[in-house]
């Protein structure tokens, strides 16, 4: 299923800035990234997952016009907030703040996109708990050294886990091992 990222905001500066930032990111969105100044202009496809980047106000309009008719499993919302702080940490996961770095914003989009993946995938492929943990970290763009440091294991152990993952998933070594 396709995933499209739609930036819906009335501020040209915010919309164009986010567009350029995401276009030049490792997410490789290309044709899956669009700017829409008004939710009324949307034509949503039923077989597509959507990540909406929008303001609180425009989200209300978007919901009333379109999302009320769509299964919540097919969309994620990341709100744009011009305030510098959020009240709770979990609230920060679905909010882009004006002072965030490209990496922080890309991580939020990547997290939203990964949330469309079925959770049972790793169990069905017989990945161990540690392999699943490493796979998630690889998907978030972490290099083997970073993963090793975060998990307090050797880089060699991470590389071994990555090799096992590529065998179990039957993906080319280039897709997983060389990505970090």
């Amino acid at each position: 299923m396709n995933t499209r990222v739609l930036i819906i905001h009335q501020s040209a500066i915010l919309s164009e800035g986010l567009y350029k930032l995401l276009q030049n990111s490792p997410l490789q969105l290309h044709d899956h990234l669009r700017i829409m100044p008004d939710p009324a202009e949307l034509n949503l496809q039923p077989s597509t997952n959507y990540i909406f980047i929008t303001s609180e106000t425009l989200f209300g309009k978007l919901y009333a016009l379109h999302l009320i008719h769509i299964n919540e499993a097919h969309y994620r919302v990341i709100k744009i907030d011009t305030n510098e702080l959020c009240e709770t940490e979990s609230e920060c996961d679905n909010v882009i703040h004006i002072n965030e770095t490209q990496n922080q914003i890309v991580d939020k989009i990547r997290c939203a996109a990964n949330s469309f993946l079925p959770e049972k995938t790793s169990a069905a492929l017989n990945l161990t708990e540690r392999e699943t943990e490493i796979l998630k970290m690889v998907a978030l763009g972490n290099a083997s050294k970073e993963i090793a440091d975060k998990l307090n294991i050797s880089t060699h152990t991470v590389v071994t886990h990555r090799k096992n993952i590529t065998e179990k998933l039957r993906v080319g070594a280039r897709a997983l091992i060389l990505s970090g």
Side-chain angles (χ1 to χ4, degrees), residues 8-10 14 39 52-64 77-83 91 94-96:
I8 304 171
H9 207 277
Q10 293 170 331
L14 282 173
F52 299 106
I53 303 173
T54 188
S55 67
E56 186 77 42
T57 305
L58 288 175
F59 173 71
K61 186 174 180 181
L62 174 67
Y63 186 83
V77 177
I78 298 175
K79 295 182 182 160
I80 299 171
D81 191 351
T82 54
N83 296 324
E91 188 180 287
N94 300 321
V95 178
I96 293 174

Side-chain angles (χ1 to χ4, degrees), residues 49-175:
N49 290 327
Y50 292 94
I51 299 172
F52 299 106
I53 303 173
T54 188
S55 67
E56 186 77 42
T57 305
L58 288 175
F59 173 71
K61 186 174 180 181
L62 174 67
Y63 186 83
L65 290 171
H66 301 287
L67 300 184
I68 198 164
H69 306 292
I70 295 179
N71 184 334
E72 287 186 30
H74 293 290
Y75 70 87
R76 304 292 182 266
V77 177
I78 298 175
K79 295 182 182 160
I80 299 171
D81 191 351
T82 54
N83 296 324
E84 291 189 29
L85 300 172
C86 38
E87 293 180 24
T88 65
E89 187 150 333
S90 62
E91 188 180 287
C92 288
D93 294 341
N94 300 321
V95 178
I96 293 174
H97 294 280
I98 197 124
N99 61 341
E100 289 187 311
T101 66
Q102 179 180 17
N103 288 340
Q104 290 172 315
I105 293 169
V106 166
D107 283 347
K108 290 178 182 189
I109 306 296
R110 186 180 287 128
C111 244
N114 288 341
S115 71
F116 289 118
L117 300 174
E119 291 186 30
K120 297 181 180 177
T121 303
S122 59
L125 297 169
N126 296 319
L127 293 180
T128 66
E129 190 175 318
R130 181 63 97 185
E131 288 168 344
T132 301
E133 187 176 18
I134 289 172
L135 181 59
K136 287 178 183 177
M137 294 176 88
V138 169
L140 291 172
N142 291 290
S144 292
K145 174 78 172 115
E146 294 170 311
I147 295 170
D149 291 345
K150 288 177 183 178
L151 298 179
N152 202 23
I153 59 177
S154 75
T155 305
H156 178 74
T157 302
V158 173
V159 170
T160 301
H161 281 302
R162 291 175 78 149
K163 286 179 184 175
N164 293 338
I165 293 167
T166 58
E167 289 173 15
K168 289 179 181 181
L169 298 180
R170 295 188 183 123
V171 296
R174 191 168 183 82

Side-chain angles (χ1 to χ4, degrees), residues 24-47:
N24 296 321
S25 76
L27 292 175
Q28 300 178 348
L29 294 171
H30 308 296
D31 294 335
H32 300 285
L33 178 64
R34 297 270 188 274
I35 295 175
M36 305 293 292
D38 185 0
E41 298 174 14
L42 286 176
N43 181 17
L44 303 179
Q45 304 300 314
S47 62

